[in-house]
Amino acid sequence: MTKNFAAIVAQHTQLISISDGIATVDIAPAAGGALASYRWWHNGSAVDWLRPADPAAVSRSDAGAMACFPLVPYSNRIRGGCFEFAGRTIKLPTTADDPHHEHGHGWRRPWTVVRHEASTIVLRYRHAADSWPWSYEAEQEISLADGTLCVTIKVRNLSGAPMPVGFGLHPYFPSTPWTHVQAPVSGMWETDTEVLPIRHVLPPVGADPSIGFDVSEVDFDTVFTGWERRARISWPEHGRQLDIEAEAPLDFLVLYMPPGEPFFCAEPVSNITDAFNHTDGRIDTGCIVLAPGLMRSASVRFTPSLAV
């Protein structure tokens, strides 16, 4: 009894909540500034719009098992953790389990709460130059209004030299046999066996997000281009849908749909995978260069609805 109570208390102190009376969001600042849940209560039951983290994931501060985590200072992989920029070679730490230093720093480090109100929280992460030779600051403002979740992410270059950057969100959604996704896009990147881009092509016939498809029928770990920054996820067997609206420069959509899993990802991001190694100008890959002191930001809104 005492042990269980202690575990509940420990878990509670690791989460901070915001609510607007319709929706509640739990945030885990120590777990990479991640969201642990985003839910409504409807007719006495919880409706989870994002995959909720379980207590074990919260206890071990596992951002990858959360509902959504921030992507800074870039989205996805960098081949071998290595790229050239402004005449210098940047080499990030890699391991056998993480050979391409996936998703940067933000999800690996604790964030600080700088403001907490009833329906809004602001988190901040400050990075000191290391193998990534630029100092920068990232901020998330997470807010609820009328049941809609809005996450604004900002990145500011604190160093004295231009810095390459990308950013975005990595949300996980519940997957059911009939979950359907529709998102206007115009192209996609084919990948090699390490899920790194090799060729820009048209979306596949029969699995074009512009037309829409059931999550259970595809196997994607893919960056889509020409995204109009809107997507709709529906769970028709439950009479639910969720509209996603993003702002520029979140002009790319990563769809990760592993077969047989109870979740999938639809990630609004500002850069393609390995963007810093694809900067020859033939096609936009989303590599932003921030001058010293400058900041870029964008918001993503998640608007749920239930069938009446």
Side-chain angles (χ1 to χ4, degrees):
M1 181 75 71
T2 302
K3 181 178 179 180
N4 289 342
F5 177 76
I8 292 170
V9 170
Q11 179 189 345
H12 176 74
T13 60
Q14 290 171 333
L15 296 177
I16 300 175
S17 297
I18 59 172
S19 179
D20 66 351
I22 299 174
T24 300
V25 172
D26 290 325
I27 302 101
L35 277 61
S37 67
Y38 166 39
R39 62 172 51 107
W40 283 11
W41 290 95
H42 181 67
N43 293 333
S45 299
V47 177
D48 281 297
W49 298 106
L50 297 172
R51 175 196 68 178
D54 63 32
V58 174
S59 294
R60 64 178 185 267
S61 295
D62 183 356
M66 294 288 166
C68 178
F69 60 81
L71 302 170
V72 290
Y74 56 84
S75 163
N76 224 293
R77 302 161 178 84
I78 294 175
R79 188 180 292 276
C82 187
F83 65 98
E84 303 286 329
F85 183 80
R88 65 194 300 185
T89 299
I90 313 303
K91 184 67 176 77
L92 304 175
T94 58
T95 65
D97 292 333
D98 184 23
H100 308 294
H101 202 76
E102 192 167 5
H103 299 322
H105 309 120
W107 72 310
R108 305 169 190 261
R109 314 283 173 82
W111 291 53
T112 301
V113 177
V114 296
R115 179 162 61 92
H116 182 204
E117 300 170 358
S119 60
T120 301
I121 189 169
V122 177
L123 307 178
R124 185 173 295 153
Y125 167 67
R126 181 165 289 188
H127 185 86
D130 49 18
S131 58
W132 179 268
W134 301 276
S135 297
Y136 68 89
E137 183 177 83
E139 189 173 281
Q140 293 182 87
E141 180 173 317
I142 303 158
S143 62
L144 291 168
D146 298 323
T148 290
L149 168 65
C150 180
V151 181
T152 301
I153 188 164
K154 304 176 181 179
V155 183
R156 185 186 304 276
N157 181 4
L158 300 180
S159 71
M163 178 181 78
V165 72
F167 61 100
L169 295 177
H170 196 305
Y172 291 80
F173 302 94
S175 178
T176 66
W178 300 105
T179 304
H180 189 81
V181 172
Q182 187 170 8
V185 299
S186 60
M188 58 174 272
W189 282 89
E190 283 188 348
T191 59
D192 60 17
T193 57
E194 296 185 89
V195 201
L196 290 159
I198 54 175
R199 183 168 58 251
H200 189 250
V201 298
L202 294 174
V205 176
D208 185 340
S210 300
I211 300 168
F213 54 78
D214 290 341
V215 171
S216 61
E217 296 178 352
V218 298
D219 178 5
F220 279 140
D221 193 347
T222 305
V223 180
F224 287 89
T225 62
W227 184 43
E228 296 181 8
R229 300 192 295 276
R230 329 181 255 110
R232 172 168 290 178
I233 301 168
S234 58
W235 297 268
E237 70 270 46
H238 299 306
R240 304 172 189 164
Q241 71 179 32
L242 179 71
D243 288 310
I244 303 172
E245 296 177 273
E247 295 177 346
L250 304 181
D251 298 332
F252 302 91
L253 180 68
V254 177
L255 295 180
Y256 174 50
M257 297 173 172
E261 295 289 350
F263 65 84
F264 70 97
C265 301
E267 308 161 35
V269 298
S270 69
N271 63 276
I272 74 163
T273 302
D274 200 25
F276 303 153
N277 284 313
H278 293 267
T279 57
D280 58 14
R282 288 179 295 175
I283 185 169
D284 178 23
T285 58
C287 179
I288 298 167
V289 178
L290 274 184
L294 291 192
M295 181 266 292
R296 291 296 300 269
S297 67
S299 297
V300 182
R301 281 171 292 279
F302 302 89
T303 304
S305 57
L306 301 171
V308 178

